[in-house]
Structures are given as structure tokens and as C-alpha cells.
Amino acid sequence: MAEDILDGYRIPAGRELRVAISGKSGCGNTTVSTLLAKTLGIQLINYTFRQLAEEKGMTLPELLEKAKGDDSYDKYVDSHQVELALKESCVLGSRLAIWMLKEADVKVYLLVSDELRASRILKREGGDLQKIKEFTAMRDASDTSRYKTLYGIDNNDYQSVADLVIDTSCNVPEQIVAQILKGMEARGLVERADG
């Protein structure tokens, strides 16, 4: 069973652990972050524009349109999730986690082709594939522009920030999490309970 490869990992006694995981929409960020947090028994923080839109009773495209002219949306989401992450051991999964959570013990960037991202979003949300591709491309460009303006961050330059870069196209979530755990074990951040 795929989940067996995740059994037996733990955070060393007396230590806190903060993992930052980033990637663009459809890369598997939420799935991988959730599974890693569950495997390690720590808090998952994944507060995004999608949650903020729900809280405000708006659609995601409506919120994104408002955010174009009002930096407070970005700043709130980004600062709120970092505040939450600093409180306890956690996995912070967000578009800017690896840049914003400077205190992270390990920073992971997930990537996948634009084509596969669009097909994953289609599977998750339904709709028309071509429209999803167009919306995703628009959202990527908008995000990149906002991040540069607000924080001086180039979210396409993940290699200079990430400790681990993982292509999610060829692996199931359990295999991706196993790669992250092995990378963290090599850094002494987690250990095997049986070892």
C-alpha cells in the first residue's frame, strides 16, 4: 500500500518543525501539504485567496479582480498565514510559503507542466479545459506581477529559495511526501521511529 512508505517518521523529541511548500495552482500543493502534515501529526496551514473569497461570499475570480486594485487582500492572506505558522510546528502550503516563511526548516517547491495543471484543475473543479488554461495563465501572470510589486518576489525563481524541488507529474502524493521526508531526514529534521 502506498501509505506504508510514510509510516514511522516523527519529529525528534523537543524540536519544532516548520515546512513551507509552494507551487502554482494544480501542482498538488494542497494534497501534498495535507498528507505531510497528517503523516507528521502537525498542523496544516493553507489559508489562501480561495478561503478568503469564501469568507467574503465572493467567487475566486471576483476576489482576484478586487485584489488587482487593493493590496490589502494579498497582505492579509500572506501575513495571516505566517502568523499562524509561527505559533507551532506546521506545514504551510501556499503560493508564497517558501519566500514568506523565512523561519521554515525546509522549503519545498512543487512543479508540473501547465497542461497537467489545467487537467488537474478540471478534474477538481469541472468546467471547460480551454477556459481553465486561459484562466490559469491569466492568474499566473497576475500573481507574478503582484508578488513582484508587493514584495519584490519573483515566484518563477524558486530554485534560489527552495531546498527541494519536486516534479509532481510522475508520482502519486505518497511518493512525493516520501521524497520530502527523505530530504528532511537527511537534514536531521525528522527521524524514523524504528531507527
Side-chain angles (χ1 to χ4, degrees):
M1 189 167 160
E3 291 174 352
D4 292 344
I5 62 175
L6 305 180
D7 288 344
Y9 283 97
R10 67 180 179 201
I11 300 169
R15 142 162 219 130
E16 287 194 348
L17 175 69
R18 288 174 183 82
V19 182
I21 302 180
S22 292
K24 295 181 180 179
S25 180
C27 71
N29 191 349
T30 301
T31 302
V32 169
S33 297
T34 301
L35 185 56
L36 180 61
K38 181 180 174 191
T39 299
L40 292 173
I42 59 178
Q43 183 71 32
L44 169 68
I45 298 170
N46 186 259
Y47 188 83
T48 65
F49 270 90
R50 192 173 304 279
Q51 282 83 27
L52 184 59
E54 288 172 14
E55 288 174 12
K56 293 190 167 289
M58 302 167 72
T59 67
L60 180 59
E62 287 171 344
L63 183 74
L64 292 173
E65 189 60 35
K66 281 190 173 267
K68 283 181 186 176
D70 186 348
D71 295 345
S72 68
Y73 291 99
D74 280 282
K75 289 178 179 177
Y76 176 76
V77 167
D78 298 330
S79 64
H80 185 60
Q81 63 191 1
V82 169
E83 285 170 18
L84 293 171
L86 293 176
K87 290 181 179 179
E88 61 188 309
S89 290
C90 67
V91 175
L92 172 60
S94 79
R95 301 253 193 300
L96 289 180
I98 67 172
W99 291 273
M100 298 299 284
L101 187 58
K102 298 189 183 339
E103 299 83 358
D105 296 289
V106 66
K107 298 175 181 181
V108 181
Y109 190 84
L110 305 177
L111 63 110
V112 71
S113 72
D114 292 345
E115 185 73 29
L116 188 51
R117 288 172 53 216
S119 67
R120 287 177 176 176
I121 294 167
L122 174 67
K123 184 177 178 181
R124 179 179 72 208
E125 299 174 11
D128 173 82
L129 183 60
Q130 188 56 41
K131 287 182 180 174
I132 290 170
K133 286 180 185 178
E134 291 167 6
F135 176 75
T136 303
M138 178 278 300
R139 183 176 181 191
D140 288 347
S142 174
D143 286 349
T144 297
S145 175
R146 280 197 335 272
Y147 302 154
K148 282 181 181 174
T149 300
L150 287 174
Y151 306 115
I153 291 171
D154 178 358
N155 69 323
N156 292 311
D157 179 24
Y158 51 85
Q159 291 183 321
S160 67
V161 178
D163 299 304
L164 301 169
V165 177
I166 300 173
D167 183 338
T168 66
S169 60
C170 300
N171 296 305
V172 297
E174 291 81 6
Q175 292 169 321
I176 297 161
V177 170
Q179 287 180 48
I180 295 168
L181 288 166
K182 285 184 192 319
M184 291 195 302
E185 185 179 20
R187 290 169 171 80
L189 299 172
V190 296
E191 61 190 14
R192 298 297 302 230
D194 56 8

